[in-house]
Amino acid sequence: DPRRRRFDGAEALVRWLEPDKGLVGPDEFIPVLEQNGDIVRLDEYVFRSVCRQIRQWLDQGYKIAPISVNISRLHLYQVDFVKNYVNTVAAFNLPVSLVQLEFTETIMLGQDDILLDTVRQLQQCGFKILLDDFGSGYSSLNTLKDLLFDEVKIDRMFLGDTLSENAHIVLQEIFHMLKRMKKTIVCEGVETKEIADFLKQEGCDEIQGFLYYRPMCKEDFEKLMGCLV
């Protein structure tokens, strides 16, 4: 949070530790799982793992910030998707506010009634819904107009290392529009103080990027939270 200058949440990332290759990035294995349908199992595994970890932290007296997890398009069409996620949160006796759900902008291409209904059901159950990667190449004002997202995450494609005059203008207009729609604005991929200062000045609510933190393991994350019993 650039205004209060404090850590305000996190995103759960998945990596594959392969004995021979070491750490394998998601770009290598996610497409395979999407193709064979196992991405649904991975979504569920990450979600349950995050819920279990939050429960452990709460039991140990830690102060927890919300953690978001990514949801694949294929998962949205599973009949018991909403029921399973609600039951998982209940099984770990968690406040639903501590687990947020991210949907990439590309998921929203070709919106249909099933997808829209699923998003609404999740919100009615108390989940905060985040639109990820906005501006990554498929931006549509219809995406913002028709869906009830709570937060919009601006893709790093808009930022780069420096902001051109045109980029300034585009971002200012997007911010103005989202503020009027009462959406929380998050900018991803921020790596320089210059860009962070501009975003703060323009009213960006949250900033995510290497300028502040890189992906980290659970132990380092606990130190970051200042998890004092």
Side-chain angles (χ1 to χ4, degrees):
D1 183 331
R3 292 168 299 179
R4 292 180 291 178
R5 299 180 62 84
R6 74 174 194 182
F7 168 75
D8 211 26
E11 176 181 356
L13 304 175
V14 62
R15 298 291 185 269
W16 175 19
L17 186 58
E18 212 280 335
D20 297 326
K21 292 184 178 181
L23 209 59
V24 181
D27 289 347
E28 293 190 49
F29 62 86
I30 292 295
V32 178
L33 298 179
E34 289 177 334
Q35 190 173 28
N36 66 21
D38 281 340
I39 190 67
V40 172
R41 294 173 59 194
L42 179 61
D43 280 354
E44 293 174 347
Y45 168 79
V46 173
F47 184 76
R48 176 168 286 272
S49 297
V50 167
C51 288
R52 179 183 296 109
Q53 183 60 70
I54 292 175
R55 181 69 264 162
Q56 291 176 1
W57 282 330
L58 290 174
D59 290 344
Q60 293 170 342
Y62 296 21
K63 184 177 180 180
I64 308 300
I67 297 180
S68 65
V69 298
N70 292 281
I71 305 296
S72 67
R73 183 181 184 88
L74 186 60
H75 209 148
L76 289 173
Y77 295 93
Q78 300 298 307
V79 176
D80 293 331
F81 167 48
V82 175
K83 178 181 177 181
N84 289 341
Y85 272 50
V86 169
N87 287 345
T88 298
V89 171
F92 288 101
N93 193 25
L94 299 180
V96 71
S97 60
L98 291 181
V99 193
Q100 303 175 347
L101 305 179
E102 293 195 19
F103 302 95
T104 62
E105 185 185 62
T106 52
I107 284 179
M108 311 325 299
L109 290 175
Q111 300 168 13
D112 56 43
D113 292 340
I114 296 177
L115 187 150
L116 294 172
D117 184 59
T118 299
V119 172
R120 293 190 183 101
Q121 285 184 54
L122 289 167
Q123 287 187 311
Q124 290 170 1
C125 293
F127 286 105
K128 180 175 284 189
I129 306 298
L130 284 59
L131 175 61
D132 196 15
D133 297 339
F134 181 76
S136 57
Y138 301 93
S139 295
S140 168
L141 295 182
N142 284 332
T143 303
L144 298 180
K145 176 177 68 70
D146 295 334
L147 293 175
L148 305 176
F149 289 101
D150 301 290
E151 296 188 11
V152 177
K153 301 182 74 173
I154 309 296
D155 189 77
R156 62 169 298 155
M157 179 179 292
F158 269 115
L159 306 178
D161 296 324
T162 58
L163 284 170
S164 66
E165 182 178 351
N166 284 343
H168 273 246
I169 294 172
V170 171
L171 278 171
Q172 286 171 339
E173 293 303 318
I174 290 175
F175 283 14
H176 178 66
M177 176 179 63
L178 293 175
K179 288 293 184 182
R180 291 189 64 188
M181 297 172 70
K182 296 180 170 52
K183 308 293 185 184
T184 299
I185 303 171
V186 184
C187 276
E188 303 177 286
V190 177
E191 298 186 8
T192 69
K193 185 177 184 299
E194 173 194 2
I195 293 178
D197 288 343
F198 166 76
L199 295 174
K200 179 181 178 181
Q201 175 184 322
E202 295 301 324
C204 182
D205 299 299
E206 296 178 351
I207 296 175
Q208 177 179 336
F210 288 177
L211 176 64
Y212 300 106
Y213 308 108
R214 292 176 176 269
M216 62 186 72
C217 63
K218 182 191 71 170
E219 289 75 18
D220 289 338
F221 181 68
E222 290 174 342
K223 295 176 183 177
L224 172 64
M225 287 192 298
C227 294
L228 301 177
V229 178

